[in-house]
């Protein structure tokens, strides 16, 4: 049996959402008035029955996404339940052995030029960094007193970038924002799992109700974690949920992917932010178009975004676009998504982890004659 809570300004609207999202087989368990003047309905549907789609048939891609989640659910959720009761080891990091260099080449890099400086610019450019970010990192790396390339680049990131990891149990509600497909839903589940591991009370607000399979996806995670899930299609829904007691403890808000150039869609996010008092955190895939990312980051910075989560680092090598967006808009890096599995959690953003990833053996290295000025 699957139980969901719905809040709307009137009973008719709440009931309409119940049957629209859970299907005609849904059973209303209870109804209550909220302190804010709305109506709260708790409804259930048999897990063995597939709910009717909210509007129109799902696309093949969405259906495949949901089926993929179902295939891995048993393994992931078993691991997740064990983690919450027995603890878990740290997830795999991005760190790796640096590229092997001769002592002379390392000394040349530390002394301010030569092979290291040119090779670093080449690697950063090939990995999608903007010219401005490449220049800043190259300059900063030459100021680090180390003959080791990974340590030099790590120091450069520490100088040029800001890092502000999100606490495991943030006191302020967290609102994940970004374009469609950025990985906000899985990031929300990972943040909720991390807070639950700390023993904190957690609530998830699922505002992404329009995308096919989105609510079902995060409902699976919430059920495994035994965390209440509140569907909040509008800021008024969020207000009603908070009035009903959902705002206590850690609150993670999974917002719908929006068109950042549509003022109405941006205004919707601002409404959620005003109602909940949440900190907006931008979520972007690590790989993409650097120019587009810069424009997107600028829009979301207007909402007060100060931190950035980069996702899908496990399936990307050219990670410079997301990092350049952070540099250009002075956004602090907080967490990295390095696995599609919720049980693997999030990696804390750290300078050495990025430097080691960029200077792995598989990174593009120019011939010696191309690296000589």
């Amino acid at each position: 049996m699957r139980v969901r809570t719905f809040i709307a300004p009137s009973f008719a609207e709440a009931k309409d959402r119940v049957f629209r999202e859970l299907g005609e087989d849904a059973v209303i368990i209870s109804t209550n008035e909220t302190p804010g003047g709305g109506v709260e309905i708790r409804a259930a549907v048999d897990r063995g029955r597939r709910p009717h789609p909210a509007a129109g048939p799902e696309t093949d891609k969405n259906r495949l996404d949901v089926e993929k989640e179902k295939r891995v659910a048993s393994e992931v959720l078993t691991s997740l339940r064990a983690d919450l009761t027995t603890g878990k080891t740290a997830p795999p990091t991005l760190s790796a052995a640096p590229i092997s260099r001769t002592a002379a080449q390392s000394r040349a890099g530390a002394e301010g030029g030569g092979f290291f400086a040119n090779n670093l610019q080449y690697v950063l450019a090939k990995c999608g960094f903007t010219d401005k970010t490449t220049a800043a990192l190259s300059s900063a790396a030459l100021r680090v007193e180390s003959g080791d390339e990974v340590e030099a680049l790590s120091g450069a990131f520490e100088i040029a970038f800001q890092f502000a990891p999100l606490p495991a149990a943030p006191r302020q509600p967290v609102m994940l924002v970004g374009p469609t497909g950025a990985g906000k839903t899985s990031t929300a589940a990972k943040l909720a799992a991390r807070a639950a591991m700390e023993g904190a009370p957690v609530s998830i607000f699922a505002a992404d109700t329009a995308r096919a399979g989105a609510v079902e996806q995060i409902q699976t995670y919430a059920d495994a974690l035994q965390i209440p899930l509140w569907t909040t299609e509008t800021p008024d829904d969020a207000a009603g949920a908070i009035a009903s007691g959902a705002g206590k403890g850690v609150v993670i808000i999974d917002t719908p992917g929006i068109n950042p150039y549509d003022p109405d869609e941006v205004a919707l996010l601002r409404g959620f932010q005003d109602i909940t008092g949440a900190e907006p955190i931008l979520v972007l895939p690590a790989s993409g178009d650097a120019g587009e990312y810069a424009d997107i980051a600028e829009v979301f910075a207007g909402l007060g975004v100060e931190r950035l989560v980069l996702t899908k680092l496990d399936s990307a090598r050219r990670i410079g676009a997301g990092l350049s967006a952070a540099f250009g808009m002075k956004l602090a890096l907080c967490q990295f998504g390095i696995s599609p599995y919720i049980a693997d959690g999030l990696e804390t953003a750290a300078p050495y982890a990025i430097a080691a990833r960029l200077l792995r053996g598989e990174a593009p290295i120019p011939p010696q004659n191309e690296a000589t000025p």
Side-chain angles (χ1 to χ4, degrees):
M1 183 71 68
R2 174 178 166 203
V3 180
R4 290 266 301 280
T5 301
F6 299 83
I7 295 177
S10 68
F11 176 79
E13 291 175 82
K15 186 175 72 171
D16 179 67
R17 287 186 57 193
V18 167
F19 294 112
R20 189 172 74 242
E21 297 187 25
L22 295 185
E24 297 176 0
D25 297 322
V27 176
I28 295 177
I29 299 174
S30 64
T31 62
N32 294 288
E33 293 184 359
T34 67
V39 176
E40 174 191 288
I41 292 181
R42 288 177 59 79
V45 66
D46 190 337
R47 285 183 180 275
R49 299 178 181 177
R50 180 183 176 89
H52 297 283
E58 298 176 352
T59 64
D60 290 342
K61 181 180 184 302
N62 286 324
R63 183 167 60 253
L64 289 174
D65 287 344
V66 173
E67 291 303 318
K68 181 179 179 181
E69 289 288 343
K70 290 179 179 178
R71 285 197 301 271
V72 303
S74 177
E75 175 186 346
V76 174
L77 299 184
T78 298
S79 172
L80 197 51
R81 292 190 185 99
D83 293 339
L84 294 175
T85 55
T86 64
K88 73 190 292 284
T89 58
T93 67
L94 298 176
S95 303
I99 297 172
S100 176
R101 300 293 184 213
T102 67
Q105 288 170 340
S106 294
R107 283 196 299 272
E111 291 168 1
F115 183 90
F116 172 69
N118 286 274
N119 177 65
L120 178 58
Q121 292 180 15
Y122 180 88
V123 170
L124 293 177
K126 291 293 287 184
C127 288
F129 286 81
T130 63
D131 292 343
K132 183 178 179 180
T133 311
T134 296
L137 287 170
S138 299
S139 175
L142 296 177
R143 293 157 52 192
V144 179
E145 295 182 359
S146 174
D148 180 85
E149 292 182 354
V150 175
E151 289 184 1
L153 183 54
S154 174
F157 272 104
E158 191 168 357
I159 292 170
F161 279 69
Q162 300 177 52
F163 294 84
L166 192 67
R171 295 182 179 180
Q172 182 180 5
V174 170
M175 184 174 79
L176 302 178
V177 299
T180 300
K184 295 185 295 299
T185 298
S186 60
T187 299
K190 291 175 181 180
L191 291 175
R194 192 175 62 144
M197 290 178 196
E198 294 293 314
V202 186
S203 293
I204 300 177
F205 287 10
D208 188 6
T209 60
R211 180 169 60 91
V215 173
E216 286 78 4
Q217 179 187 23
I218 200 165
Q219 180 75 57
T220 301
Y221 305 145
D223 288 346
L225 294 164
Q226 298 182 349
I227 290 174
L229 176 71
W230 302 76
T231 54
T232 52
E233 190 172 358
T234 67
D236 287 341
D237 294 340
I242 292 173
S244 298
K248 298 177 181 179
V250 177
V251 175
I252 309 295
I253 307 169
D254 177 29
T255 69
I258 70 161
N259 173 4
Y261 311 116
D262 186 327
D264 291 337
E265 295 189 17
V266 174
L268 176 65
L269 294 186
R270 195 180 298 279
F272 277 108
Q273 184 182 12
D274 291 342
I275 288 292
T276 62
E279 176 189 357
I281 296 179
L282 179 59
V283 180
L284 286 176
S287 182
D289 181 81
E292 194 69 52
Y293 274 13
D295 292 343
I296 290 173
E298 184 175 5
V299 171
F300 284 105
L303 282 173
V305 167
E306 296 181 348
R307 292 195 245 205
L308 173 66
V309 173
L310 289 180
T311 61
K312 307 181 182 181
L313 271 80
D314 55 309
S315 58
R317 291 179 61 189
R318 299 178 184 270
I319 62 175
L323 291 169
S324 292
F327 176 79
M329 293 307 302
K330 295 182 171 55
L331 300 179
L333 297 170
C334 56
Q335 263 74 32
F336 294 144
I338 59 170
S339 168
Y341 299 105
I342 305 306
D344 287 339
L346 295 165
E347 176 82 9
T348 297
Y352 192 89
I354 307 172
R357 181 179 181 86
L358 290 168
L359 296 181
R360 281 176 176 169
E362 70 266 20
I365 306 301
Q368 178 67 45
N369 60 355
E370 291 183 21
T372 303

